[in-house]
Amino acid sequence: MAPSALTPALAALDLIARMVAALELTPLVAVCSFDRDGVVQFCNQACAEMLGVKVGEVIGQRIGTLRSHGERQAEHDALVADIWRNGHASQAGDWRVRTGDGRDLWLYSTHIPVWHGGELAQIFCMEVDITQRQREFDALQAAGENFDHLFERSSDAIFLLRDGVVEDANPAAVRLFKCAGPERLVGRSLHDFSPMTQPSGVLSEDAQERMAGEARRSGNARGEWHYVDCEGGLFWAEVLLTAVSLDGSNLYYAVVRDISERKNAERMLHLAAQVFENSRDAIVLTDRGRRVIALNRSFTVITGFGPQEMLGKPVSLFRSGVHEASFYREVWSQVDAGDHWEGESWGRRRDGGLFPCWTSISAIRDTAGRVSNYMGIVTDITERKKTEEHTRHLAEHDFLTDLPNRVLLLDRLRLALAAARRNQAMLAVLFVDLDRFKLVNDTLGHAMGDRLLKEVASRLVHCVREADTVSRQGGDEFVILLSDVAGPAGAAHAAETVLRALEQEFVLGEHLAHISGSVGIVMFPADGDDIEALLKHADIAMYHAKQEGRNGYQFFSGEMNARIVERSGLEQGLRRALSERQFELAFEPEVDIASGAVVGMEALLRWRHPELGLLLPERFIDVATEAGMMVAIGSWVLQEACGHARGWQDAGRERVVSVNLAPAQFVHKDLADCVGAALRTAGLPARLLELQLTEAMLMQANTHAQAILGKLRALGVRLSIDDFGTGYSRLAQLKDSPIDKLKIAQSFFGNGTDATAIRTIIAMARSLAMTVVAEGVETEAQLQLLRELGCDQYQGQLAGSSLDGDAAR
């Protein structure tokens, strides 16, 4: 995992580390925490030293066994019970305690409740040893005639007050309040050196009066106070106010000690305790011997291990077992060298389950620079890893089929090539392109096209071994990587399996689709030694398979490469052909059999290539289709044909002009507008334009296609089916479509005239009130048969002789 990706998280972990270090090492304040059973869960070094024991001896014991509060024990127990009951921190106070080793101490104690998930989890007790100070206060009270000496020499600020006004202040007071001399203090009340209100919200004047009243009643009063020195600085102080009876006046002496540093430490420790217990990351603290001395609630939630199982035990007992011993040696080597290590590792839960985690280990040093503790922060990154894996999957897989995409294919191909070179083995790459997919996508809609691609992906995966890779490159192109294949024969067998799978009928909801595939095959190392060459040559082989009639496979060869180069040249030339007016039309007459009159002309596209001469459509139409140029070319043919037809009409030879529609042109949303524009531009009556479709286009017709036919019929143009009998049209489709004419395919006059089939087609057309045209008629015998069978028109080589010279233009 990249460290840069974790920068915000690492900053948060660093903050936790510093806070917990403060909790552990702050020498001013002894800190311990205990649960509802009074069992100590945490103890810092200062607390252990105060109690006269080692940290490891404190954790897990009951707090009551470590010290007692003497005659005030019941009062202290009630204070703690009240905190558990209402969840409020106690007032700070002085307590005389006896430690387990028999020492009597005076402690200034603060009890703070720590919540976790809305539940009171622990009480953190922060205490300051004020034994020495208490002795000084006791000495001051008993000073008598030595009072003046103590007054002048005391390190604590001492004020003498009469009726609340400063009568005298010692040198320590002048220093504490940063005054030029005692005259700045004498004659003023101490609340004059206080902010308007104390942190409790009580007015400083009222708070001082309350403290004075308590001192009069009890002899003395202690409290914490916010003061403002003569330079405007704010500081915290602890005040001991003692009442003295003299001459009937309210006389006091106040001992003031700066506790700003301690208050800052307490505030930091309070925050650290909250962070430690409420951190979402697991935190475990050990002593310098790496034995567990504390862990937070999240550690138990994440791992299942509780304090009773871990406290006092070596942290190494809880390793996951995934990493080698050398891994841990390196981790601790880095900690010893730089006080820190962090990285991705595996953790083990109490139930034995493993989880990925980001672990940070820090050494905590005491004021002498010696390592006193180690702290580990463990972040469960299971969800993060899932997100990363999902993101990586999206980046490496096709969104539609969930097959590996080009990125992942290249990576697997790189690894496969390395293995093949190392083992001197062969591998094969199959480039699969679907035949007739565009027709399905255009006629049935993109949703059905996507559904078809998903089904194709599923079939291809089942055609190969688990170790092989099937990848979608985009559109209807797929690449199959066959690792360690058994020579060309093995690759050919895989290609045949793919072709058979694609030939099977696809059921897409209420629709049926029939497609096939063209497969190009390359072998390593024979056909290329690197990724780029292999993929390029597989692509070339696939195009060769398409040129050979589709629904087949071809291996790569130099001849294929030459053909692809030629194909590329044709595509570039086609893009110039329209703008440079290199296209032209030839016309084939349609002759009425009964009268012998020419009744129509079929427009035939030709390309007068500047270098290759006159090219027939068979040479370039597939290239134009795959290059997406047929809509533009078809539009030009429409305009040109309508212009010729208008010319014949003006010359007194009115004939219908027939124009073949390309599949892409037929499904284009602007077809009807394009046809209407061509008629208007030429000034040609719509009845003199006939648009020819193929059976395949009609077979794939859906609701959208029927709507297009309806729009064309509304324009008044005629519609015909070209090459009828070669496809799979059903009678119902013809009956429901506004077709005017059927053209019997030339193949019926091939090796022997198929009179039966021709008779059947003519009879069917008659039942649907359609005109019948026979294509490819070459002999008088064929014409005579058509006349006997009742065919209406014919076209072909024989029809050319019926055309006069003027019509041949």
Side-chain angles (χ1 to χ4, degrees), residues 654-728:
E654 186 174 279
R655 292 165 180 166
V656 175
V657 65
S658 299
V659 175
N660 289 288
L661 292 178
Q665 189 181 11
F666 176 65
V667 297
H668 195 270
K669 60 184 178 62
D670 294 330
L671 174 61
D673 293 338
C674 182
V675 171
L679 291 172
R680 289 191 298 273
T681 300
L684 182 70
R687 58 184 172 78
L688 297 181
L689 175 62
E690 181 180 286
L691 301 178
Q692 297 185 170
L693 317 173
T694 64
E695 284 185 87
M697 292 162 63
L698 185 63
M699 182 183 67
Q700 296 287 352
N702 53 19
T703 304
H704 175 66
Q706 290 294 335
I708 293 175
L709 292 175
K711 289 181 180 180
L712 295 176
R713 169 62 77 192
L715 288 174
V717 300
R718 303 184 184 189
L719 300 172
S720 65
I721 300 297
D722 196 21
D723 286 333
F724 186 81
T726 59
Y728 304 93

Side-chain angles (χ1 to χ4, degrees), residues 490-628:
H493 175 73
E496 290 170 354
T497 303
V498 166
L499 293 175
R500 286 196 299 270
L502 295 178
E503 285 176 348
Q504 303 303 312
E505 185 176 66
F506 288 85
V507 179
L508 309 176
E510 298 178 354
H511 302 278
L512 301 179
H514 297 83
I515 63 170
S516 59
S518 297
V519 182
I521 307 174
V522 293
M523 302 295 301
F524 169 84
D527 298 326
D529 191 55
D530 57 47
I531 293 175
E532 183 178 357
L534 289 172
L535 292 178
K536 176 183 176 182
H537 293 165
D539 191 27
I540 291 172
M542 181 274 294
Y543 275 113
H544 183 53
K546 280 190 175 295
Q547 289 178 335
E548 291 298 314
R550 309 185 182 219
N551 195 24
Y553 65 86
Q554 290 290 329
F555 283 87
F556 173 76
S557 69
E559 180 186 353
M560 295 180 208
N561 190 50
R563 292 191 183 185
I564 294 302
V565 171
E566 178 189 0
R567 184 184 188 88
S568 177
L570 285 176
E571 182 175 334
Q572 294 177 16
L574 280 169
R575 299 192 183 282
R576 297 192 302 269
L578 272 175
S579 60
E580 296 179 6
R581 302 186 64 80
Q582 295 174 10
F583 289 120
E584 56 187 58
L585 295 180
F587 293 93
E588 182 177 279
E590 296 177 356
V591 180
D592 180 73
I593 292 178
S595 65
V598 175
V599 293
M601 303 288 280
E602 181 175 355
L604 305 174
L605 181 63
R606 302 289 184 263
W607 178 15
R608 194 164 295 280
H609 195 283
E611 298 170 359
L612 303 176
L614 189 66
L615 302 182
L616 298 179
E618 292 82 359
R619 183 77 178 274
F620 62 84
I621 206 71
D622 284 345
V623 178
T625 299
E626 294 181 10

Side-chain angles (χ1 to χ4, degrees), residues 338-367:
D339 286 353
H340 187 72
W341 176 88
E342 61 187 343
E344 193 172 305
S345 62
W346 285 94
R348 177 170 60 89
R349 306 188 200 276
R350 190 174 184 274
D351 61 6
L354 298 174
F355 66 98
C357 55
W358 187 266
T359 303
S360 172
I361 301 176
S362 299
I364 299 175
R365 296 184 179 272
D366 59 23
T367 54

Side-chain angles (χ1 to χ4, degrees), residues 326-597:
S326 58
F327 171 80
Y328 295 104
R329 284 197 297 270
E330 177 61 24
V331 168
W332 288 108
S333 175
Q334 290 191 31
V335 174
D336 291 340
D339 286 353
H340 187 72
W341 176 88
E342 61 187 343
E344 193 172 305
S345 62
W346 285 94
R348 177 170 60 89
R349 306 188 200 276
R350 190 174 184 274
D351 61 6
L354 298 174
F355 66 98
C357 55
W358 187 266
T359 303
S360 172
I361 301 176
S362 299
I364 299 175
R365 296 184 179 272
D366 59 23
T367 54
R370 297 168 301 189
V371 173
S372 62
N373 303 89
Y374 295 99
M375 182 184 63
I377 300 177
V378 179
T379 305
D380 185 345
I381 58 173
T382 301
E383 292 304 317
R384 183 189 304 164
K385 296 293 286 185
K386 288 180 181 178
T387 300
E388 289 175 356
E389 181 61 32
H390 179 64
T391 301
R392 182 164 52 250
H393 185 87
L394 291 178
E396 295 179 342
H397 289 77
D398 173 53
F399 74 96
L400 179 63
T401 63
D402 203 40
L403 292 177
N405 61 13
R406 185 175 180 83
V407 173
L408 186 53
L409 172 70
L410 293 178
D411 184 59
R412 291 188 180 178
L413 186 52
R414 176 180 58 81
L415 296 175
L417 283 174
R421 291 189 185 102
R422 186 170 57 251
N423 301 324
Q424 296 184 331
M426 286 188 288
L427 63 81
V429 177
L430 278 59
F431 199 115
V432 182
D433 186 88
L434 304 184
D435 303 327
R436 297 193 300 274
F437 170 75
K438 191 175 187 303
L439 184 61
V440 175
N441 200 46
D442 290 343
T443 56
L444 297 183
H446 294 298
M448 288 297 121
D450 289 347
R451 190 167 176 177
L452 175 60
L453 289 174
K454 291 180 182 179
E455 180 61 29
V456 167
S458 177
R459 293 189 187 185
L460 292 182
V461 168
H462 285 88
C463 288
V464 299
R465 302 165 301 178
E466 188 174 348
D468 300 324
T469 296
V470 178
S471 168
R472 181 184 177 219
Q473 300 296 285
D476 59 346
E477 295 178 342
F478 297 82
V479 171
I480 300 175
L481 168 61
L482 303 176
S483 302
D484 195 18
V485 69
H493 175 73
E496 290 170 354
T497 303
V498 166
L499 293 175
R500 286 196 299 270
L502 295 178
E503 285 176 348
Q504 303 303 312
E505 185 176 66
F506 288 85
V507 179
L508 309 176
E510 298 178 354
H511 302 278
L512 301 179
H514 297 83
I515 63 170
S516 59
S518 297
V519 182
I521 307 174
V522 293
M523 302 295 301
F524 169 84
D527 298 326
D529 191 55
D530 57 47
I531 293 175
E532 183 178 357
L534 289 172
L535 292 178
K536 176 183 176 182
H537 293 165
D539 191 27
I540 291 172
M542 181 274 294
Y543 275 113
H544 183 53
K546 280 190 175 295
Q547 289 178 335
E548 291 298 314
R550 309 185 182 219
N551 195 24
Y553 65 86
Q554 290 290 329
F555 283 87
F556 173 76
S557 69
E559 180 186 353
M560 295 180 208
N561 190 50
R563 292 191 183 185
I564 294 302
V565 171
E566 178 189 0
R567 184 184 188 88
S568 177
L570 285 176
E571 182 175 334
Q572 294 177 16
L574 280 169
R575 299 192 183 282
R576 297 192 302 269
L578 272 175
S579 60
E580 296 179 6
R581 302 186 64 80
Q582 295 174 10
F583 289 120
E584 56 187 58
L585 295 180
F587 293 93
E588 182 177 279
E590 296 177 356
V591 180
D592 180 73
I593 292 178
S595 65

Side-chain angles (χ1 to χ4, degrees), residues 113-279:
V114 176
W115 298 79
H116 185 95
E119 179 182 343
L120 184 53
Q122 295 185 54
I123 293 178
F124 268 73
C125 182
M126 294 186 288
E127 297 175 316
V128 178
D129 186 348
I130 59 170
T131 305
Q132 183 59 34
R133 190 185 316 163
Q134 186 65 36
R135 290 170 182 165
E136 292 174 2
F137 289 155
D138 292 343
L140 184 61
Q141 288 180 300
E145 58 188 29
N146 293 320
F147 180 82
D148 289 341
H149 176 76
L150 290 173
F151 182 80
E152 291 295 327
R153 297 296 182 89
S154 175
S155 60
D156 290 323
I158 303 176
F159 296 88
L160 295 180
L161 302 104
R162 188 182 296 274
D163 296 326
V165 176
V166 176
E167 197 167 84
D168 197 3
N170 72 345
V174 174
R175 290 192 299 271
L176 177 59
F177 281 81
K178 299 179 181 179
C179 300
E183 61 275 3
R184 289 287 305 274
L185 300 170
V186 175
R188 303 179 67 181
S189 171
L190 280 182
H191 70 72
D192 291 336
F193 294 90
S194 307
M196 177 85 56
T197 60
Q198 290 297 304
S200 64
V202 178
L203 290 172
S204 295
E205 185 175 0
D206 293 345
Q208 181 174 309
E209 184 57 38
R210 291 178 186 176
M211 181 177 283
E214 183 180 346
R216 288 194 299 270
R217 289 191 301 273
S218 305
N220 58 59
R222 187 194 304 273
E224 294 177 350
W225 200 270
H226 247 173
Y227 283 115
V228 179
D229 61 32
C230 293
E231 295 179 355
L234 191 66
F235 68 94
W236 272 100
E238 182 182 51
V239 180
L240 176 65
L241 189 64
T242 301
V244 180
S245 298
L246 184 65
D247 300 333
S249 299
N250 290 322
L251 186 65
Y252 307 89
Y253 62 85
V255 181
V256 180
R257 175 172 290 184
D258 187 352
I259 60 169
S260 296
E261 186 178 355
R262 191 191 83 197
K263 292 297 290 185
N264 288 335
E266 286 182 357
R267 185 165 53 253
M268 183 66 175
L269 293 175
H270 182 195
L271 180 57
Q274 299 289 346
V275 170
F276 181 79
E277 185 60 22
N278 289 283
S279 172

